[in-house]
Amino acid sequence: MSAVVLDGKKIAAEIRDEVVREVQSFKERGISPKMAVVLVGDDPASVVYARAKEKACQKVGIGYELIRFPASASEKEVVAKLRELSADPSIHGIMVELPVPPHISKERVTLEVAPLKDVDCVNPQNRGFLFSRKEGLFPATPLSCVEILRRSGINLEGKHVVLVGRGDTVGKPLIFLLLQENATVTICHTRTRDLGYHTRQADVLVVAAGKPGLISGDMIKPGACVVDAGINEVEGGGITGDVKFEEALNVAGYITPVPGGVGALTTVLIQKNLMKALRMQRGEA
Ligand code: NAP
């Protein structure tokens, strides 16, 4: 058996077309969608992500402003800028590249991203809505895990989803998105006894641990759907996921690759969130 490989790039292109149409329709009404990204310091991954978002915004006609602070910037300066952006009617979405330097409190700065402009769901208010709302500005990577399945025709209702990872960025928010899809959810982490026992029960196995090769073929139920959210740098360049892809291919029914799977959807889902944020700001959603 060889699993069907779910093509994240193709799905991302579909979503991008939708974003382009939405951007055009806003522009026809005299509104130019725009997002701002605040980057403090020179963390290489954050610089790459910020530039990638800029290119992606150019591609779909979304305005983009990058505000850079040196690593020595004070929390007060960053908070003041976030307040200014939150109040600026020409800015519809705000992101703060994380991590921020250690002398700046992540909790403090995320609270300053206006909830209706919070396109990656970092403000604790929006995080709280994950518990209670079906719709809202939810974080892009957990959304990508659900969206790649939905758009591939894989329904989660009643399925047993085993999630490996309870991190703040991916695992934890994903629990609530999976419950909203009416899945039965088991959550595994470093203290889980016999990880393979649990993963073998999964109709859908979602892995967000950040540990290359954590999941081998014998940990997967034959025919299961495997979603690999892991991004691990490979020595000499490139990235790999948390699942042993070649082994999993022989056991799973469906699998998302790395690269070209979950990660391919993240940026465009931030843009989709920007469109939703704009509608929410205008009382249209
Ligand atoms: P994180 O905060 O580091 O959390 C990792 C989670 O995995 C923790 O809950 C940890 O358990 C669990 N874990 C680690 N090793 C394990 C093991 N051997 N057995 C069982 N559980 C284990 O991670 P994150 O920030 O949520 O990110 C998760 C992954 O997603 C990373 O690879 C990251 O690079 C990737 N990511 C991808 C995207 C994208 O666009 N595709 C975006 C963001 C992040 P404990 O809680 O017990 O420590």
Side-chain angles (χ1 to χ4, degrees):
M1 188 162 75
S2 186
V4 174
V5 178
L6 303 180
D7 187 345
K9 285 187 187 164
K10 189 167 156 229
I11 294 170
E14 256 171 53
I15 304 173
R16 197 172 302 114
D17 288 345
E18 294 167 17
V19 171
V20 167
R21 285 197 291 276
E22 286 183 78
V23 169
Q24 271 165 0
S25 123
F26 275 119
K27 286 188 174 170
E28 278 158 20
R29 293 157 65 195
I31 304 152
S32 285
K34 185 172 177 188
M35 71 180 277
V37 172
V38 173
L39 172 58
V40 188
D42 305 305
D43 174 63
S46 296
V47 174
V48 170
Y49 290 144
R51 293 269 173 248
K53 279 192 275 279
E54 179 166 19
K55 266 174 115 176
C57 282
Q58 281 167 355
K59 220 169 170 176
V60 296
I62 291 174
Y64 182 91
E65 188 178 337
L66 175 63
I67 298 110
R68 287 195 74 162
F69 285 97
S72 59
S74 69
E75 185 177 286
K76 211 171 155 193
E77 286 174 273
V78 177
V79 163
K81 179 45 96 176
L82 286 168
R83 285 189 180 168
E84 186 190 313
L85 294 168
S86 290
D88 181 344
S90 73
I91 300 289
H92 309 103
I94 302 170
M95 279 189 76
V96 186
E97 289 295 342
L98 298 173
V100 283
H103 66 280
I104 295 179
S105 153
K106 174 184 156 188
E107 277 68 34
R108 183 78 187 83
V109 293
T110 52
L111 270 169
E112 295 297 340
V113 176
L116 288 180
K117 298 186 178 183
D118 179 21
V119 287
D120 202 22
C121 190
V122 293
N123 187 307
Q125 178 178 312
N126 281 335
R127 294 232 143 196
F129 286 149
L130 275 164
F131 294 177
S132 57
R133 286 193 179 170
K134 277 209 170 332
E135 278 293 327
L137 298 176
F138 298 147
T141 305
L143 269 181
S144 304
C145 295
V146 172
E147 199 63 20
I148 200 166
L149 295 176
R150 187 184 292 145
R151 290 187 184 244
S152 303
I154 297 164
N155 187 354
L156 289 171
E157 181 149 331
K159 300 264 174 70
H160 184 191
V161 179
V162 176
L163 172 58
V164 182
R166 56 176 172 179
D168 285 351
T169 311
V170 190
K172 230 175 256 170
L174 184 52
I175 296 168
F176 299 98
L177 299 182
L178 292 169
L179 288 176
Q180 278 175 22
E181 299 294 317
N182 296 315
T184 301
V185 186
T186 297
I187 301 127
C188 300
H189 44 77
T190 53
R191 311 294 168 89
T192 298
R193 290 186 198 149
D194 196 353
L195 181 63
Y197 165 79
H198 293 283
T199 58
R200 275 189 294 274
Q201 313 298 315
D203 301 317
V204 178
L205 174 61
V206 183
V207 193
K211 290 280 173 290
L214 176 66
I215 304 297
S216 48
D218 61 352
M219 294 168 80
I220 299 167
K221 177 163 89 173
C225 175
V226 179
V227 177
D228 189 351
I231 294 186
N232 309 289
E233 281 177 25
V234 178
E235 242 186 68
I239 56 167
T240 186
D242 292 347
V243 177
K244 289 184 176 162
F245 185 75
E246 295 302 326
E247 286 186 20
L249 261 186
N250 293 321
V251 189
Y254 300 87
I255 186 164
T256 66
V258 179
V262 170
L265 268 69
T266 315
T267 304
V268 76
L269 286 179
I270 286 170
Q271 297 175 340
K272 195 84 179 159
N273 267 350
L274 180 75
M275 299 297 107
K276 191 184 276 181
L278 236 167
R279 289 196 299 276
M280 288 164 76
Q281 288 156 32
R282 299 176 57 78
E284 295 166 5

